[in-house]
Amino acid sequence: RSAHVVVVGGGFGGATAAKYLRLWSDANVRVTLIERNARFVSCPMSNLVIGGMQTMAQITHDYTGLRDHHGVRVVQDTVTAIDPAARELRLASGERLHYDRLLLSPGIDFMPERIDGLAGHEDEIPHAWKAGPQTTILQRQLAAMPDGGVFAIHIPKAPFRCPPGPYERASLVADYCRRHKPRAKVLVLDANADIQSKKGLFLAAWGDRYRGMIEYRPNNQLLGVDARTRTAKLEFDDVKADVLNVIPPQRAGKVVELIGSRLVNDRWVSVDWLSTEVRDVPNVHVIGDATLSAPRMPKSGTMANQQAKVAAAAILHLLADLPPNPAPVVMNTCYSYVGGDSAMHVASVHRFDTAEHTFLPVEGAGGLSAVASPAEATAAQAWAHNIWADMLR
Ligand code: FAD
């Protein structure tokens, strides 16, 4: 019997799922991928673009492989309405699509309204937390910053996309400044009480390579900004910066509102991790950053890619009236650069636990680099090229 699976979002989760749904099925399963952007721009490696070590072209890829090698129908459009009862969705172009199973991997949307004065000012105070035009804006602001200037990064309270990402950005901005603006300062204003990932390794690198250049301030909750003067209004003082990079609080991509699921903490979608089906909306699956993460599962590209394979397998089983695989195992690897020529990684393995009915980390599996090294920078590049190929070719 023929079936139609619609995937929304051509990022790490959605592109991988679209490919593997076709790879693991026959011509009877049609797959349509809806993505609003013409091309995929990778967040991983985008901090290197900000630091001037790579170009936008190196992190931008097209969707022709999914179409030509795997027979996925790729539609550049935006989803505007979903009717889960009728199993139908509507696109901005007016096209209506009927689905047997729907998979959403929309990533995050921002909550700028939580920071006074921020909404509508993303060009002056960029986040660059979705790679694309924002990456270029931030890179240009850094290049135009005077020597002796202050580059301030604000990190929202966890959970947010890519726990080590802001600290990697601080490192690469400092690497750029060391070479081009040696009197500049990188100020890390963290709403959290501590560095969220790879703390010891980041602090070691900051002490060795950028002594005195990076200042880390924990418990610095941002209340408001003045876009005209690039001032960050914190709980206890104001900080005026030359470049103000505010990473706003995050939530599931807004398209999830169209399915009418009750979001956890108004932010994330709760899924049954065995199948990735949304707990309160049948036939709809959600993966990636938009989900309420399982314990100690980071919001990462590797994780979204792995969850995509769990989802693709489960969807094909469910379409064939079979139960999903009872014991999925996934893993995460996350590289971070501490300078253009040196990186480190953290890795973990997550096994579905039947008693808890969620993924739990496998104790003793995975680990952390002992030190950052050039060899790991080579491995980080290989990781990026492999995962982009796994998603898109
Ligand atoms: P995305 O990859 O964001 O994909 C979502 C897609 O859905 C987007 O293309 C969007 O355009 C589309 N979309 C949303 N709504 C709609 C709609 N209504 N209609 C049509 N299309 C829609 N992870 C790692 O594993 N390793 C790293 O080294 C790493 N580094 C990072 C560095 C930075 C600076 C950042 C910001 C993130 C980094 N990440 C890294 C995290 C990684 O980028 C995310 O975890 C990953 O992108 C999540 O995948 P996703 O499929 O959930 O969302």
PDB file of all heavy atoms in Angstrom, residues 9-13 34-37 43-44 46-47 77-79 105-107 129 161-162 169 255 288-289 299-302 304 334-335 383, ligand 1:
ATOM      1  N   GLY A   9      11.148  20.985   7.529  1.00  0.00           N
ATOM      2  CA  GLY A   9      12.437  21.445   8.047  1.00  0.00           C
ATOM      3  C   GLY A   9      13.580  20.660   7.428  1.00  0.00           C
ATOM      4  O   GLY A   9      13.746  19.477   7.709  1.00  0.00           O
ATOM      5  N   GLY A  10      14.382  21.324   6.590  1.00  0.00           N
ATOM      6  CA  GLY A  10      15.505  20.640   5.932  1.00  0.00           C
ATOM      7  C   GLY A  10      16.816  20.906   6.626  1.00  0.00           C
ATOM      8  O   GLY A  10      17.838  21.174   5.989  1.00  0.00           O
ATOM      9  N   GLY A  11      16.831  20.846   7.961  1.00  0.00           N
ATOM     10  CA  GLY A  11      18.065  20.990   8.725  1.00  0.00           C
ATOM     11  C   GLY A  11      18.615  19.611   9.105  1.00  0.00           C
ATOM     12  O   GLY A  11      18.350  18.611   8.413  1.00  0.00           O
ATOM     13  N   PHE A  12      19.350  19.558  10.223  1.00  0.00           N
ATOM     14  CA  PHE A  12      20.015  18.300  10.612  1.00  0.00           C
ATOM     15  C   PHE A  12      19.020  17.159  10.792  1.00  0.00           C
ATOM     16  O   PHE A  12      19.271  16.035  10.373  1.00  0.00           O
ATOM     17  CB  PHE A  12      20.826  18.517  11.893  1.00  0.00           C
ATOM     18  CG  PHE A  12      22.145  19.143  11.612  1.00  0.00           C
ATOM     19  CD1 PHE A  12      22.272  20.521  11.538  1.00  0.00           C
ATOM     20  CD2 PHE A  12      23.259  18.368  11.363  1.00  0.00           C
ATOM     21  CE1 PHE A  12      23.490  21.120  11.235  1.00  0.00           C
ATOM     22  CE2 PHE A  12      24.485  18.943  11.065  1.00  0.00           C
ATOM     23  CZ  PHE A  12      24.596  20.329  11.003  1.00  0.00           C
ATOM     24  N   GLY A  13      17.878  17.434  11.434  1.00  0.00           N
ATOM     25  CA  GLY A  13      16.907  16.367  11.667  1.00  0.00           C
ATOM     26  C   GLY A  13      16.120  16.038  10.408  1.00  0.00           C
ATOM     27  O   GLY A  13      16.066  14.881   9.967  1.00  0.00           O
ATOM     28  N   ILE A  34       9.517  19.871   3.142  1.00  0.00           N
ATOM     29  CA  ILE A  34       9.187  21.297   3.032  1.00  0.00           C
ATOM     30  C   ILE A  34      10.244  22.093   3.794  1.00  0.00           C
ATOM     31  O   ILE A  34      10.429  21.873   4.994  1.00  0.00           O
ATOM     32  CB  ILE A  34       7.812  21.619   3.686  1.00  0.00           C
ATOM     33  CG1 ILE A  34       6.747  20.583   3.350  1.00  0.00           C
ATOM     34  CG2 ILE A  34       7.366  23.051   3.347  1.00  0.00           C
ATOM     35  CD1 ILE A  34       6.269  20.593   1.959  1.00  0.00           C
ATOM     36  N   GLU A  35      10.930  22.978   3.099  1.00  0.00           N
ATOM     37  CA  GLU A  35      11.959  23.817   3.739  1.00  0.00           C
ATOM     38  C   GLU A  35      11.813  25.237   3.207  1.00  0.00           C
ATOM     39  O   GLU A  35      11.730  25.437   2.004  1.00  0.00           O
ATOM     40  CB  GLU A  35      13.349  23.246   3.445  1.00  0.00           C
ATOM     41  CG  GLU A  35      14.519  24.182   3.741  1.00  0.00           C
ATOM     42  CD  GLU A  35      14.586  24.689   5.183  1.00  0.00           C
ATOM     43  OE1 GLU A  35      14.512  23.876   6.121  1.00  0.00           O
ATOM     44  OE2 GLU A  35      14.725  25.928   5.365  1.00  0.00           O
ATOM     45  N   ARG A  36      11.824  26.200   4.128  1.00  0.00           N
ATOM     46  CA  ARG A  36      11.587  27.579   3.679  1.00  0.00           C
ATOM     47  C   ARG A  36      12.785  28.193   2.973  1.00  0.00           C
ATOM     48  O   ARG A  36      12.633  29.067   2.139  1.00  0.00           O
ATOM     49  CB  ARG A  36      11.156  28.466   4.851  1.00  0.00           C
ATOM     50  CG  ARG A  36      12.126  28.568   5.992  1.00  0.00           C
ATOM     51  CD  ARG A  36      11.857  29.839   6.796  1.00  0.00           C
ATOM     52  NE  ARG A  36      10.723  29.718   7.687  1.00  0.00           N
ATOM     53  CZ  ARG A  36      10.818  29.569   9.011  1.00  0.00           C
ATOM     54  NH1 ARG A  36      12.004  29.483   9.583  1.00  0.00           N
ATOM     55  NH2 ARG A  36       9.745  29.498   9.760  1.00  0.00           N
ATOM     56  N   ASN A  37      13.998  27.725   3.265  1.00  0.00           N
ATOM     57  CA  ASN A  37      15.200  28.304   2.640  1.00  0.00           C
ATOM     58  C   ASN A  37      15.608  27.529   1.392  1.00  0.00           C
ATOM     59  O   ASN A  37      15.421  26.313   1.317  1.00  0.00           O
ATOM     60  CB  ASN A  37      16.362  28.317   3.634  1.00  0.00           C
ATOM     61  CG  ASN A  37      16.059  29.221   4.830  1.00  0.00           C
ATOM     62  OD1 ASN A  37      15.424  30.262   4.685  1.00  0.00           O
ATOM     63  ND2 ASN A  37      16.473  28.813   6.011  1.00  0.00           N
ATOM     64  N   CYS A  43      24.909  25.541  11.017  1.00  0.00           N
ATOM     65  CA  CYS A  43      25.336  26.224  12.245  1.00  0.00           C
ATOM     66  C   CYS A  43      26.699  25.702  12.707  1.00  0.00           C
ATOM     67  O   CYS A  43      27.586  26.508  13.027  1.00  0.00           O
ATOM     68  CB  CYS A  43      24.308  26.031  13.356  1.00  0.00           C
ATOM     69  SG  CYS A  43      22.865  27.079  13.206  1.00  0.00           S
ATOM     70  N   PRO A  44      26.894  24.351  12.779  1.00  0.00           N
ATOM     71  CA  PRO A  44      28.246  23.860  13.080  1.00  0.00           C
ATOM     72  C   PRO A  44      29.228  24.408  12.044  1.00  0.00           C
ATOM     73  O   PRO A  44      28.951  24.367  10.844  1.00  0.00           O
ATOM     74  CB  PRO A  44      28.111  22.336  12.973  1.00  0.00           C
ATOM     75  CG  PRO A  44      26.673  22.069  13.269  1.00  0.00           C
ATOM     76  CD  PRO A  44      25.926  23.247  12.719  1.00  0.00           C
ATOM     77  N   SER A  46      29.886  27.519  11.739  1.00  0.00           N
ATOM     78  CA  SER A  46      29.587  28.929  11.441  1.00  0.00           C
ATOM     79  C   SER A  46      30.382  29.872  12.343  1.00  0.00           C
ATOM     80  O   SER A  46      30.623  31.023  11.969  1.00  0.00           O
ATOM     81  CB  SER A  46      28.088  29.207  11.545  1.00  0.00           C
ATOM     82  OG  SER A  46      27.635  29.118  12.885  1.00  0.00           O
ATOM     83  N   ASN A  47      30.810  29.390  13.524  1.00  0.00           N
ATOM     84  CA  ASN A  47      31.653  30.255  14.361  1.00  0.00           C
ATOM     85  C   ASN A  47      33.017  30.505  13.703  1.00  0.00           C
ATOM     86  O   ASN A  47      33.653  31.528  13.946  1.00  0.00           O
ATOM     87  CB  ASN A  47      31.844  29.643  15.756  1.00  0.00           C
ATOM     88  CG  ASN A  47      30.599  29.809  16.630  1.00  0.00           C
ATOM     89  OD1 ASN A  47      29.840  30.758  16.452  1.00  0.00           O
ATOM     90  ND2 ASN A  47      30.401  28.901  17.580  1.00  0.00           N
ATOM     91  N   ASP A  77       9.105  26.179   0.600  1.00  0.00           N
ATOM     92  CA  ASP A  77       7.865  26.845   0.988  1.00  0.00           C
ATOM     93  C   ASP A  77       7.794  26.869   2.513  1.00  0.00           C
ATOM     94  O   ASP A  77       8.647  26.291   3.194  1.00  0.00           O
ATOM     95  CB  ASP A  77       6.660  26.084   0.406  1.00  0.00           C
ATOM     96  CG  ASP A  77       5.481  27.010   0.103  1.00  0.00           C
ATOM     97  OD1 ASP A  77       5.317  28.019   0.816  1.00  0.00           O
ATOM     98  OD2 ASP A  77       4.721  26.701  -0.824  1.00  0.00           O
ATOM     99  N   THR A  78       6.762  27.527   3.038  1.00  0.00           N
ATOM    100  CA  THR A  78       6.569  27.611   4.485  1.00  0.00           C
ATOM    101  C   THR A  78       5.227  26.988   4.829  1.00  0.00           C
ATOM    102  O   THR A  78       4.236  27.235   4.135  1.00  0.00           O
ATOM    103  CB  THR A  78       6.579  29.097   4.925  1.00  0.00           C
ATOM    104  OG1 THR A  78       7.825  29.648   4.516  1.00  0.00           O
ATOM    105  CG2 THR A  78       6.460  29.234   6.432  1.00  0.00           C
ATOM    106  N   VAL A  79       5.196  26.201   5.885  1.00  0.00           N
ATOM    107  CA  VAL A  79       3.941  25.594   6.333  1.00  0.00           C
ATOM    108  C   VAL A  79       3.134  26.662   7.065  1.00  0.00           C
ATOM    109  O   VAL A  79       3.657  27.317   7.964  1.00  0.00           O
ATOM    110  CB  VAL A  79       4.226  24.410   7.267  1.00  0.00           C
ATOM    111  CG1 VAL A  79       2.928  23.797   7.774  1.00  0.00           C
ATOM    112  CG2 VAL A  79       5.077  23.372   6.551  1.00  0.00           C
ATOM    113  N   SER A 105      10.842  18.853  12.076  1.00  0.00           N
ATOM    114  CA  SER A 105      12.158  19.124  12.687  1.00  0.00           C
ATOM    115  C   SER A 105      12.490  20.598  12.441  1.00  0.00           C
ATOM    116  O   SER A 105      13.398  20.932  11.686  1.00  0.00           O
ATOM    117  CB  SER A 105      13.232  18.203  12.093  1.00  0.00           C
ATOM    118  OG  SER A 105      14.428  18.316  12.842  1.00  0.00           O
ATOM    119  N   PRO A 106      11.702  21.478  13.068  1.00  0.00           N
ATOM    120  CA  PRO A 106      11.794  22.903  12.724  1.00  0.00           C
ATOM    121  C   PRO A 106      12.869  23.661  13.478  1.00  0.00           C
ATOM    122  O   PRO A 106      13.002  24.875  13.296  1.00  0.00           O
ATOM    123  CB  PRO A 106      10.409  23.424  13.115  1.00  0.00           C
ATOM    124  CG  PRO A 106      10.032  22.591  14.305  1.00  0.00           C
ATOM    125  CD  PRO A 106      10.648  21.218  14.075  1.00  0.00           C
ATOM    126  N   GLY A 107      13.624  22.976  14.340  1.00  0.00           N
ATOM    127  CA  GLY A 107      14.641  23.701  15.102  1.00  0.00           C
ATOM    128  C   GLY A 107      14.007  24.643  16.113  1.00  0.00           C
ATOM    129  O   GLY A 107      12.931  24.379  16.642  1.00  0.00           O
ATOM    130  N   TRP A 129      22.525  32.813  15.735  1.00  0.00           N
ATOM    131  CA  TRP A 129      22.295  31.467  16.307  1.00  0.00           C
ATOM    132  C   TRP A 129      21.464  30.600  15.358  1.00  0.00           C
ATOM    133  O   TRP A 129      21.069  29.487  15.677  1.00  0.00           O
ATOM    134  CB  TRP A 129      21.667  31.575  17.713  1.00  0.00           C
ATOM    135  CG  TRP A 129      22.223  30.545  18.633  1.00  0.00           C
ATOM    136  CD1 TRP A 129      21.530  29.545  19.271  1.00  0.00           C
ATOM    137  CD2 TRP A 129      23.599  30.367  19.012  1.00  0.00           C
ATOM    138  NE1 TRP A 129      22.388  28.764  20.004  1.00  0.00           N
ATOM    139  CE2 TRP A 129      23.657  29.250  19.867  1.00  0.00           C
ATOM    140  CE3 TRP A 129      24.791  31.033  18.694  1.00  0.00           C
ATOM    141  CZ2 TRP A 129      24.858  28.780  20.415  1.00  0.00           C
ATOM    142  CZ3 TRP A 129      25.987  30.574  19.246  1.00  0.00           C
ATOM    143  CH2 TRP A 129      25.994  29.473  20.093  1.00  0.00           C
ATOM    144  N   ARG A 161      20.052  25.797  22.139  1.00  0.00           N
ATOM    145  CA  ARG A 161      20.718  25.071  21.051  1.00  0.00           C
ATOM    146  C   ARG A 161      22.224  25.096  21.257  1.00  0.00           C
ATOM    147  O   ARG A 161      22.795  26.166  21.434  1.00  0.00           O
ATOM    148  CB  ARG A 161      20.322  25.762  19.737  1.00  0.00           C
ATOM    149  CG  ARG A 161      21.287  25.589  18.612  1.00  0.00           C
ATOM    150  CD  ARG A 161      20.777  26.204  17.325  1.00  0.00           C
ATOM    151  NE  ARG A 161      19.716  25.384  16.757  1.00  0.00           N
ATOM    152  CZ  ARG A 161      19.119  25.618  15.597  1.00  0.00           C
ATOM    153  NH1 ARG A 161      19.469  26.664  14.880  1.00  0.00           N
ATOM    154  NH2 ARG A 161      18.175  24.819  15.151  1.00  0.00           N
ATOM    155  N   CYS A 162      22.862  23.940  21.241  1.00  0.00           N
ATOM    156  CA  CYS A 162      24.324  23.786  21.270  1.00  0.00           C
ATOM    157  C   CYS A 162      24.981  24.340  22.539  1.00  0.00           C
ATOM    158  O   CYS A 162      25.541  25.444  22.532  1.00  0.00           O
ATOM    159  CB  CYS A 162      24.964  24.425  20.041  1.00  0.00           C
ATOM    160  SG  CYS A 162      26.687  23.933  19.838  1.00  0.00           S
ATOM    161  N   ARG A 169      32.336  30.240  20.350  1.00  0.00           N
ATOM    162  CA  ARG A 169      32.315  31.541  19.656  1.00  0.00           C
ATOM    163  C   ARG A 169      33.252  32.518  20.343  1.00  0.00           C
ATOM    164  O   ARG A 169      34.017  33.223  19.671  1.00  0.00           O
ATOM    165  CB  ARG A 169      30.891  32.090  19.601  1.00  0.00           C
ATOM    166  CG  ARG A 169      30.842  33.441  18.921  1.00  0.00           C
ATOM    167  CD  ARG A 169      29.442  33.895  18.635  1.00  0.00           C
ATOM    168  NE  ARG A 169      28.795  33.042  17.642  1.00  0.00           N
ATOM    169  CZ  ARG A 169      27.506  33.129  17.317  1.00  0.00           C
ATOM    170  NH1 ARG A 169      26.731  34.011  17.930  1.00  0.00           N
ATOM    171  NH2 ARG A 169      26.983  32.337  16.402  1.00  0.00           N
ATOM    172  N   VAL A 255       6.249  26.523  14.085  1.00  0.00           N
ATOM    173  CA  VAL A 255       5.326  25.673  13.320  1.00  0.00           C
ATOM    174  C   VAL A 255       4.665  24.622  14.219  1.00  0.00           C
ATOM    175  O   VAL A 255       3.547  24.167  13.945  1.00  0.00           O
ATOM    176  CB  VAL A 255       6.061  25.031  12.109  1.00  0.00           C
ATOM    177  CG1 VAL A 255       7.073  23.992  12.544  1.00  0.00           C
ATOM    178  CG2 VAL A 255       5.076  24.446  11.124  1.00  0.00           C
ATOM    179  N   GLY A 288      14.745  16.664  17.093  1.00  0.00           N
ATOM    180  CA  GLY A 288      15.721  17.756  17.061  1.00  0.00           C
ATOM    181  C   GLY A 288      15.550  18.744  18.200  1.00  0.00           C
ATOM    182  O   GLY A 288      14.971  18.451  19.248  1.00  0.00           O
ATOM    183  N   ASP A 289      16.039  19.949  17.957  1.00  0.00           N
ATOM    184  CA  ASP A 289      16.075  20.987  18.985  1.00  0.00           C
ATOM    185  C   ASP A 289      14.686  21.318  19.537  1.00  0.00           C
ATOM    186  O   ASP A 289      14.571  21.830  20.654  1.00  0.00           O
ATOM    187  CB  ASP A 289      16.666  22.282  18.410  1.00  0.00           C
ATOM    188  CG  ASP A 289      18.162  22.203  18.154  1.00  0.00           C
ATOM    189  OD1 ASP A 289      18.771  21.168  18.462  1.00  0.00           O
ATOM    190  OD2 ASP A 289      18.725  23.186  17.640  1.00  0.00           O
ATOM    191  N   LYS A 299      20.932  19.617  22.763  1.00  0.00           N
ATOM    192  CA  LYS A 299      20.313  20.063  21.513  1.00  0.00           C
ATOM    193  C   LYS A 299      21.452  20.276  20.520  1.00  0.00           C
ATOM    194  O   LYS A 299      22.062  21.349  20.486  1.00  0.00           O
ATOM    195  CB  LYS A 299      19.526  21.360  21.752  1.00  0.00           C
ATOM    196  CG  LYS A 299      18.322  21.140  22.651  1.00  0.00           C
ATOM    197  CD  LYS A 299      17.401  22.330  22.663  1.00  0.00           C
ATOM    198  CE  LYS A 299      16.275  22.142  23.666  1.00  0.00           C
ATOM    199  NZ  LYS A 299      15.394  20.994  23.393  1.00  0.00           N
ATOM    200  N   SER A 300      21.778  19.222  19.762  1.00  0.00           N
ATOM    201  CA  SER A 300      22.916  19.282  18.840  1.00  0.00           C
ATOM    202  C   SER A 300      22.525  18.740  17.469  1.00  0.00           C
ATOM    203  O   SER A 300      21.529  18.020  17.328  1.00  0.00           O
ATOM    204  CB  SER A 300      24.090  18.460  19.391  1.00  0.00           C
ATOM    205  OG  SER A 300      23.866  17.075  19.167  1.00  0.00           O
ATOM    206  N   GLY A 301      23.349  19.077  16.479  1.00  0.00           N
ATOM    207  CA  GLY A 301      23.127  18.572  15.130  1.00  0.00           C
ATOM    208  C   GLY A 301      23.299  17.064  15.068  1.00  0.00           C
ATOM    209  O   GLY A 301      22.531  16.365  14.391  1.00  0.00           O
ATOM    210  N   THR A 302      24.307  16.532  15.774  1.00  0.00           N
ATOM    211  CA  THR A 302      24.505  15.075  15.772  1.00  0.00           C
ATOM    212  C   THR A 302      23.278  14.390  16.347  1.00  0.00           C
ATOM    213  O   THR A 302      22.806  13.379  15.816  1.00  0.00           O
ATOM    214  CB  THR A 302      25.711  14.660  16.642  1.00  0.00           C
ATOM    215  OG1 THR A 302      26.795  15.512  16.375  1.00  0.00           O
ATOM    216  CG2 THR A 302      26.111  13.229  16.398  1.00  0.00           C
ATOM    217  N   ALA A 304      20.172  15.489  16.485  1.00  0.00           N
ATOM    218  CA  ALA A 304      19.028  15.588  15.563  1.00  0.00           C
ATOM    219  C   ALA A 304      19.174  14.567  14.433  1.00  0.00           C
ATOM    220  O   ALA A 304      18.198  13.922  14.025  1.00  0.00           O
ATOM    221  CB  ALA A 304      18.931  17.008  15.004  1.00  0.00           C
ATOM    222  N   CYS A 334      30.214  16.106  19.794  1.00  0.00           N
ATOM    223  CA  CYS A 334      30.158  17.540  19.584  1.00  0.00           C
ATOM    224  C   CYS A 334      31.564  18.108  19.681  1.00  0.00           C
ATOM    225  O   CYS A 334      32.175  18.057  20.744  1.00  0.00           O
ATOM    226  CB  CYS A 334      29.246  18.136  20.649  1.00  0.00           C
ATOM    227  SG  CYS A 334      28.509  19.616  20.080  1.00  0.00           S
ATOM    228  N   TYR A 335      32.062  18.594  18.548  1.00  0.00           N
ATOM    229  CA  TYR A 335      33.388  19.217  18.528  1.00  0.00           C
ATOM    230  C   TYR A 335      33.261  20.703  18.832  1.00  0.00           C
ATOM    231  O   TYR A 335      32.271  21.325  18.457  1.00  0.00           O
ATOM    232  CB  TYR A 335      34.036  19.062  17.148  1.00  0.00           C
ATOM    233  CG  TYR A 335      34.527  17.664  16.890  1.00  0.00           C
ATOM    234  CD1 TYR A 335      33.728  16.736  16.231  1.00  0.00           C
ATOM    235  CD2 TYR A 335      35.790  17.269  17.320  1.00  0.00           C
ATOM    236  CE1 TYR A 335      34.166  15.439  16.008  1.00  0.00           C
ATOM    237  CE2 TYR A 335      36.241  15.971  17.097  1.00  0.00           C
ATOM    238  CZ  TYR A 335      35.430  15.069  16.445  1.00  0.00           C
ATOM    239  OH  TYR A 335      35.870  13.798  16.233  1.00  0.00           O
ATOM    240  N   TRP A 383      34.170  15.357  10.673  1.00  0.00           N
ATOM    241  CA  TRP A 383      32.825  15.166  11.231  1.00  0.00           C
ATOM    242  C   TRP A 383      31.822  15.986  10.426  1.00  0.00           C
ATOM    243  O   TRP A 383      30.768  15.494  10.030  1.00  0.00           O
ATOM    244  CB  TRP A 383      32.794  15.587  12.711  1.00  0.00           C
ATOM    245  CG  TRP A 383      31.388  15.678  13.231  1.00  0.00           C
ATOM    246  CD1 TRP A 383      30.640  14.658  13.734  1.00  0.00           C
ATOM    247  CD2 TRP A 383      30.545  16.847  13.251  1.00  0.00           C
ATOM    248  NE1 TRP A 383      29.374  15.117  14.058  1.00  0.00           N
ATOM    249  CE2 TRP A 383      29.292  16.452  13.761  1.00  0.00           C
ATOM    250  CE3 TRP A 383      30.720  18.179  12.864  1.00  0.00           C
ATOM    251  CZ2 TRP A 383      28.218  17.347  13.918  1.00  0.00           C
ATOM    252  CZ3 TRP A 383      29.658  19.071  13.010  1.00  0.00           C
ATOM    253  CH2 TRP A 383      28.432  18.642  13.543  1.00  0.00           C
TER     254      TRP A 383
HETATM  255  P1  FAD B   1      17.680  23.009  12.113  1.00  0.00           P
HETATM  256  O1  FAD B   1      18.922  22.312  11.721  1.00  0.00           O
HETATM  257  O2  FAD B   1      17.685  24.387  12.570  1.00  0.00           O
HETATM  258  O3  FAD B   1      16.594  22.801  10.994  1.00  0.00           O
HETATM  259  C1  FAD B   1      15.310  23.385  11.047  1.00  0.00           C
HETATM  260  C2  FAD B   1      14.855  23.771   9.632  1.00  0.00           C
HETATM  261  O4  FAD B   1      13.427  23.940   9.613  1.00  0.00           O
HETATM  262  C3  FAD B   1      15.460  25.084   9.169  1.00  0.00           C
HETATM  263  O5  FAD B   1      16.149  24.876   7.952  1.00  0.00           O
HETATM  264  C4  FAD B   1      14.238  26.004   9.009  1.00  0.00           C
HETATM  265  O6  FAD B   1      14.389  26.907   7.926  1.00  0.00           O
HETATM  266  C5  FAD B   1      13.109  25.012   8.762  1.00  0.00           C
HETATM  267  N1  FAD B   1      11.762  25.492   9.140  1.00  0.00           N
HETATM  268  C6  FAD B   1      11.344  25.884  10.379  1.00  0.00           C
HETATM  269  N2  FAD B   1      10.046  26.212  10.364  1.00  0.00           N
HETATM  270  C7  FAD B   1       9.608  26.004   9.094  1.00  0.00           C
HETATM  271  C8  FAD B   1       8.344  26.167   8.453  1.00  0.00           C
HETATM  272  N3  FAD B   1       7.260  26.620   9.101  1.00  0.00           N
HETATM  273  N4  FAD B   1       8.228  25.855   7.125  1.00  0.00           N
HETATM  274  C9  FAD B   1       9.324  25.418   6.433  1.00  0.00           C
HETATM  275  N5  FAD B   1      10.550  25.245   7.004  1.00  0.00           N
HETATM  276  C10 FAD B   1      10.687  25.547   8.306  1.00  0.00           C
HETATM  277  N6  FAD B   1      25.623  20.809  16.709  1.00  0.00           N
HETATM  278  C11 FAD B   1      26.542  19.820  16.630  1.00  0.00           C
HETATM  279  O7  FAD B   1      26.190  18.638  16.665  1.00  0.00           O
HETATM  280  N7  FAD B   1      27.875  20.088  16.514  1.00  0.00           N
HETATM  281  C12 FAD B   1      28.346  21.354  16.455  1.00  0.00           C
HETATM  282  O8  FAD B   1      29.556  21.560  16.338  1.00  0.00           O
HETATM  283  C13 FAD B   1      27.409  22.424  16.543  1.00  0.00           C
HETATM  284  N8  FAD B   1      27.829  23.695  16.478  1.00  0.00           N
HETATM  285  C14 FAD B   1      26.908  24.722  16.525  1.00  0.00           C
HETATM  286  C15 FAD B   1      27.376  26.031  16.477  1.00  0.00           C
HETATM  287  C16 FAD B   1      26.484  27.097  16.527  1.00  0.00           C
HETATM  288  C17 FAD B   1      26.980  28.510  16.473  1.00  0.00           C
HETATM  289  C18 FAD B   1      25.080  26.835  16.616  1.00  0.00           C
HETATM  290  C19 FAD B   1      24.083  27.965  16.639  1.00  0.00           C
HETATM  291  C20 FAD B   1      24.613  25.520  16.673  1.00  0.00           C
HETATM  292  C21 FAD B   1      25.518  24.454  16.634  1.00  0.00           C
HETATM  293  N9  FAD B   1      25.093  23.127  16.710  1.00  0.00           N
HETATM  294  C22 FAD B   1      26.019  22.101  16.666  1.00  0.00           C
HETATM  295  C23 FAD B   1      23.659  22.797  16.955  1.00  0.00           C
HETATM  296  C24 FAD B   1      22.904  22.430  15.678  1.00  0.00           C
HETATM  297  O9  FAD B   1      23.001  23.450  14.717  1.00  0.00           O
HETATM  298  C25 FAD B   1      21.421  22.205  16.001  1.00  0.00           C
HETATM  299  O10 FAD B   1      21.300  21.395  17.141  1.00  0.00           O
HETATM  300  C26 FAD B   1      20.726  21.537  14.813  1.00  0.00           C
HETATM  301  O11 FAD B   1      20.673  22.466  13.746  1.00  0.00           O
HETATM  302  C27 FAD B   1      19.313  21.052  15.169  1.00  0.00           C
HETATM  303  O12 FAD B   1      18.711  20.438  14.071  1.00  0.00           O
HETATM  304  P2  FAD B   1      17.142  20.630  13.812  1.00  0.00           P
HETATM  305  O13 FAD B   1      16.799  19.756  12.663  1.00  0.00           O
HETATM  306  O14 FAD B   1      16.403  20.488  15.087  1.00  0.00           O
HETATM  307  O15 FAD B   1      17.005  22.172  13.397  1.00  0.00           O
END
